[in-house]
Amino acid sequence: MFNRMTRCVLALALALGLGTSAQAADTILTATHNGQTRTFDRAELEALGTASIETTTIWTEGVQTFEGVPLAVLMQELGAQDGKILATAINDYTIEIPLSDATENGPILALKMNGEQMSVRDKGPVWVVYPYDADADYRTEVIYSRSIWQLDRIEVVE
């Protein structure tokens, strides 16, 4: 099936770490701050601590329950204190979120909706969800534009 040269090249690539690693395949969010990049799989994000939001959205029908990592918790984990977040989706759509939005009882990086992990087809695996019903200030076009789904990259710019 493989000739000797092909087997040698494959063995060398794996030895050097050039092959596809399970960790890279499981990464759902990459976060960069102060020149440092961290990758997170679902379990690593959930280990930071999760919160739930029950709210309606303009994209769904009825009250939904979202569960995920509070944006404030992730920013604390990254050591980000000031500036803005450049949030980028799988399709390279990027939106700017002021770091001041990352407050207690503010938006979460939703990983589940109604107890189910969200697939790419369902706005996942990560969707920035604000508690829209909690405050009229969260029901504005500006906030809706920050509610990026299929999020896969965050860069904090101070």
Side-chain angles (χ1 to χ4, degrees):
M1 183 155 115
F2 291 116
N3 66 31
R4 184 170 183 218
M5 177 65 94
T6 302
R7 285 194 305 263
C8 289
V9 169
L10 287 173
L12 180 60
L14 290 172
L16 294 174
L18 300 176
T20 302
S21 72
Q23 182 181 11
D26 292 339
T27 296
I28 62 170
L29 183 69
T30 302
T32 304
H33 177 244
N34 285 339
Q36 302 294 314
T37 299
R38 291 190 52 193
T39 59
F40 296 89
D41 63 21
R42 183 175 302 279
E44 290 168 330
L45 282 173
E46 289 175 344
L48 296 177
T50 61
S52 293
I53 293 175
E54 287 189 13
T55 190
T56 57
T57 79
I58 62 173
W59 306 278
T60 58
E61 291 187 29
V63 175
Q64 309 294 320
T65 302
F66 296 94
E67 183 181 338
V69 178
L71 185 59
V73 169
L74 180 62
M75 292 302 104
Q76 182 178 10
E77 176 71 15
L78 297 175
Q81 297 177 0
D82 193 25
K84 62 186 175 185
I85 301 163
L86 299 178
T88 304
I90 292 168
N91 67 356
D92 291 329
Y93 171 78
T94 300
I95 190 69
E96 196 173 291
I97 301 173
L99 204 54
S100 59
D101 278 13
T103 61
E104 185 176 348
N105 301 316
I108 65 172
L109 302 178
L111 302 168
K112 294 180 182 177
M113 183 169 65
N114 301 322
E116 300 291 325
Q117 292 180 1
M118 294 181 294
S119 68
V120 171
R121 183 180 197 124
D122 296 321
K123 299 184 176 30
V126 182
W127 181 5
V128 177
V129 175
Y130 287 75
Y132 310 105
D133 293 347
D135 190 323
D137 289 343
Y138 287 138
R139 294 187 299 273
T140 67
E141 289 301 317
V142 170
I143 294 299
Y144 295 145
S145 73
R146 295 176 185 164
S147 301
I148 185 171
W149 54 76
Q150 298 176 336
L151 178 71
D152 72 343
R153 287 164 280 164
I154 287 179
E155 180 182 2
V156 180
V157 181
E158 294 185 349

